[in-house]
């Protein structure tokens, strides 16, 4: 048994703490705002096992100029934040080469192979049941070219992971999701997608388990001091505590501690917006992606959530809820029955330029383990990340297979 501090209690931190508790370790979790609403609490609720394509790709780069001209489009920048974002943006462009895209796809494929089993195992540790359901997913497309691109990606996923897919006519898509009354060219159906009941509910369940089995400290960690006899966590007014291992899983705020450790990382704030409707009187039968506009409508057990898109900005920059309004307006082209209203939300996805999370030991001190930067896949990859963290805290563990996810790629 080791004394382990986990910094962060979002879905990745809570999952890692749960797994470590299940392995018999003495765990202390540091989270300054345990009642807050971290990024994972407002996502679409998807377990997106087929999503092995990085955001940066040669094809994507050709669309970026057009997207950036639309301030409410699938991708936007807060221009006042560009100087601060420039190192990340340059690395993002550099990640769009065929060789680097192939490397990212291979690494994400490795993670996705066990992701569902890891979710089931993690839930068993925490005693959580009834929160996972296989819904399938369809993406709707405005043109034949868009459908061809989606079919090509689905074929690549089938080759890598064995997940089936099918092309749907407009009529077949409407038979599966009757609310799709607007015009579109066709759709692609992938049955392997799963959902959680509600991402906030699931997060709270894991946090509640952690509270019963671990110490929860509600101070922000300001430093990790390294000593020959242990790691000392410095946190606000809390007395310093010494640990055998420290896991840093604090989302985009992890970068402050990483840099304090003398290690380099490119981690920025990729913001997403959504609107949740809880009183529609109807819901979709499965999640629907609007492929040409970069957002998703997902049926939670207690409402419909419409959200997505990418906005690059500093964490402290104020929200632009016109992006949520634009997604609702675009959805009404396909689902005319969607009303105005709902509850708007903005979350901060911690994102790396190559779309790969950091799941890694610190190069200067292997007693420190990093688990952050999951971008759009935080919920999907939370359980497999927790399993890998539990391996990395073992002194005898070998992490050669995790080299693509290592923080060494930024050094």
């Amino acid at each position: 048994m080791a004394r382990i501090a986990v910094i962060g209690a979002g879905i990745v931190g809570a999952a890692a703490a749960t797994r470590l508790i299940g392995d018999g370790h003495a765990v202390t979790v540091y989270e300054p705002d345990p009642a807050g609403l971290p990024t994972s609490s407002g996502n679409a609720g998807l377990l997106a096992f087929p999503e092995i394509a990085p955001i940066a790709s040669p094809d994507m780069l050709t669309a970026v100029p057009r997207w950036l001209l639309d301030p409410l489009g699938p991708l936007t920048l807060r221009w006042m934040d560009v100087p601060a974002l420039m190192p990340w943006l340059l690395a993002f462009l550099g990640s769009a080469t065929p060789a680097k895209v192939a490397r990212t796809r291979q690494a994400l494929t490795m993670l996705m192979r066990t992701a569902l089993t890891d979710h089931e195992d993690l839930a068993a540790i925490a005693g959580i049941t009834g929160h996972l359901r296989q819904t399938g997913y369809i993406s709707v497309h405005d043109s034949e070219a868009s459908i061809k691109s989606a079919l090509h990606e689905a074929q690549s996923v089938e080759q890598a992971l064995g997940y089936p897919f099918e092309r749907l006519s407009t009529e077949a898509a409407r038979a599966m999701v009757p609310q799709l009354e607007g015009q579109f060219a066709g759709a692609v159906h992938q049955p392997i997608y799963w959902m959680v009941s509600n991402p906030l509910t699931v997060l709270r369940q894991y946090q509640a388990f952690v509270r019963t089995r671990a110490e929860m400290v509600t101070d922000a960690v300001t430093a990790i001091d390294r000593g020959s006899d242990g790691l000392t966590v410095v946190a606000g007014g809390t007395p310093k505590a010494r640990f055998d291992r420290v896991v840093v899983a604090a989302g985009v705020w992890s970068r402050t501690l990483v840099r304090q450790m003398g290690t380099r990382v490119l981690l920025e704030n990729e913001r997403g917006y959504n609107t949740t409707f809880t009183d529609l009187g109807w819901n979709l039968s499965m999640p629907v992606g609007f492929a040409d506009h970069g957002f998703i409508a997902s049926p939670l057990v207690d409402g419909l959530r419409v959200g997505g898109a990418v906005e690059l900005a500093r964490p402290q920059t104020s929200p632009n809820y016109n992006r949520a309004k634009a997604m609702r307006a675009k959805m009404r082209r396909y689902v005319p029955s969607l009303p105005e209203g709902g509850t708007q939300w903005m979350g901060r996805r911690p994102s790396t330029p190559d779309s790969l999370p950091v799941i890694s030991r610190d190069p200067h001190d292997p007693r420190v383990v990093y688990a952050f930067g999951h971008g759009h896949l935080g919920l999907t990859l939370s359980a497999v990340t927790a399993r890998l963290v539990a391996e990395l805290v073992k002194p005898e563990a070998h992490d050669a297979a995790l080299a693509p996810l290592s923080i060494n790629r930024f050094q």
Side-chain angles (χ1 to χ4, degrees), residues 247-267:
V247 177
V248 179
V252 72
W253 293 276
S254 300
R255 62 188 184 182
T256 301
L257 291 173
V258 171
R259 292 164 184 170
Q260 185 260 341
M261 294 286 294
T263 303
R264 186 171 183 266
V265 69
L266 290 175
L267 184 69

Side-chain angles (χ1 to χ4, degrees), residues 96-109:
T97 66
K100 291 184 178 179
V101 168
R103 174 178 170 273
T104 295
R105 294 180 71 93
Q106 185 176 19
L108 288 175
T109 297

Side-chain angles (χ1 to χ4, degrees), residues 269-389:
N269 174 39
E270 180 202 323
R271 308 200 306 183
Y273 294 82
N274 71 45
T275 305
T276 303
F277 299 85
T278 57
D279 55 355
L280 292 178
W282 56 269
N283 212 335
L284 303 180
S285 57
M286 66 176 62
V288 178
F290 301 92
D292 300 298
H293 306 284
F295 70 95
I296 294 170
S298 55
L300 307 179
V301 295
D302 50 359
L304 176 69
R305 178 163 291 165
V306 178
V310 173
E311 178 184 64
L312 295 171
R314 294 178 300 167
Q316 64 269 33
T317 300
S318 60
N320 176 14
Y321 287 112
N322 284 328
R323 293 184 60 73
K325 182 178 180 180
M327 283 183 271
R328 298 193 299 270
K330 288 179 178 178
M331 184 172 168
R332 278 190 283 273
R333 302 179 192 174
Y334 308 90
V335 182
S337 56
L338 183 76
E340 203 34 88
T343 302
Q344 299 181 131
W345 183 88
M346 185 273 288
R348 301 171 177 87
R349 308 179 188 109
S351 295
T352 62
D354 59 5
S355 298
L356 286 176
V358 174
I359 307 172
S360 166
R361 294 187 176 102
D362 182 89
H364 307 298
D365 193 327
R367 297 172 297 177
V368 177
V369 174
Y370 296 130
F372 54 74
H374 294 72
H376 294 253
L377 297 172
L379 176 62
T380 301
L381 296 178
S382 57
V384 62
T385 299
R387 177 176 59 81
L388 294 172
V389 165

Side-chain angles (χ1 to χ4, degrees), residues 70-195:
D70 180 358
L72 300 177
L75 171 66
T76 189
L77 290 169
R78 289 293 186 96
W79 294 104
M80 63 183 178
D81 294 340
V82 166
L85 297 171
M86 190 56 69
W88 191 97
L89 291 170
L90 292 174
F92 177 76
L93 295 174
S95 298
T97 66
K100 291 184 178 179
V101 168
R103 174 178 170 273
T104 295
R105 294 180 71 93
Q106 185 176 19
L108 288 175
T109 297
M110 173 189 69
L111 295 173
M112 293 299 183
R113 283 199 179 103
T114 65
L116 177 57
T117 300
D118 288 317
H119 273 285
E120 293 169 339
D121 292 346
L122 189 71
I125 292 171
I128 300 172
T129 60
H131 64 299
L132 301 176
R133 56 196 171 112
Q134 185 174 3
T135 59
Y137 171 86
I138 67 172
S139 58
V140 299
H141 301 267
D142 295 344
S143 67
E144 185 64 28
S146 178
I147 295 172
K148 287 181 64 176
S149 177
L151 290 171
H152 180 267
E153 175 59 23
Q155 288 167 348
S156 298
V157 171
E158 186 177 48
Q159 291 171 0
L161 289 163
Y163 298 151
F165 68 95
E166 62 178 328
R167 176 173 177 160
L168 299 177
S169 67
T170 302
E171 293 73 21
R174 287 175 177 154
M176 296 180 75
V177 183
Q179 291 85 3
L180 288 170
E181 299 174 342
Q183 296 301 309
F184 56 96
V188 176
H189 175 225
Q190 292 174 286
I192 191 58
Y193 277 79
W194 287 58
M195 287 189 68

